[in-house]
Amino acid sequence: MAMRHSTYRAYGFQIPDTDRDVLEEALKSQPETHQVGYLHAGDYDCNKTFLVTECESADLGDFKVITPQAFKRYEVSAWDIALHEAAAKLGYLVHPEPGWLLIPDLS
């Protein structure tokens, strides 16, 4: 069995591990702007679930400087609202504050 490693930079937060079908149902019918997605990541047999808005792959040796100014972008408040609404649909009214994440995955 081959292992695959990937890493993502994303804006969002971790929620309790949640089944893919439950996530898909809760996240359907979102407005086109500021859509929330999800990532399952972790090591091979211990997945974590993240709700995310802005998300991109990060290759080995790739980097991006994320400064405090990145948090002042006009989209951030809309992302925060969209993430909260998605978490609420999943029953997580209390959740971590969103932030920029670096998420490694081994599958």
Side-chain angles (χ1 to χ4, degrees), residues 9-72:
R9 283 185 297 260
Y11 185 81
F13 51 79
Q14 184 180 353
I15 61 171
D17 195 23
T18 305
D19 181 72
R20 183 178 308 271
D21 292 335
V22 172
L23 290 163
E24 294 286 338
E25 182 65 27
L27 298 177
K28 71 180 185 181
S29 303
Q30 294 183 69
E32 287 295 313
T33 58
H34 312 303
Q35 288 205 348
V36 173
Y38 65 90
L39 290 172
H40 280 137
D43 65 21
Y44 183 70
D45 61 351
C46 181
N47 277 322
K48 309 264 189 270
T49 302
F50 300 87
L51 289 181
V52 298
T53 54
E54 195 70 9
C55 182
E56 60 187 31
S57 289
D59 294 326
L60 259 170
D62 189 14
F63 73 94
K64 183 174 188 173
V65 177
I66 300 175
T67 64
Q69 289 76 17
F71 290 97
K72 295 179 184 172

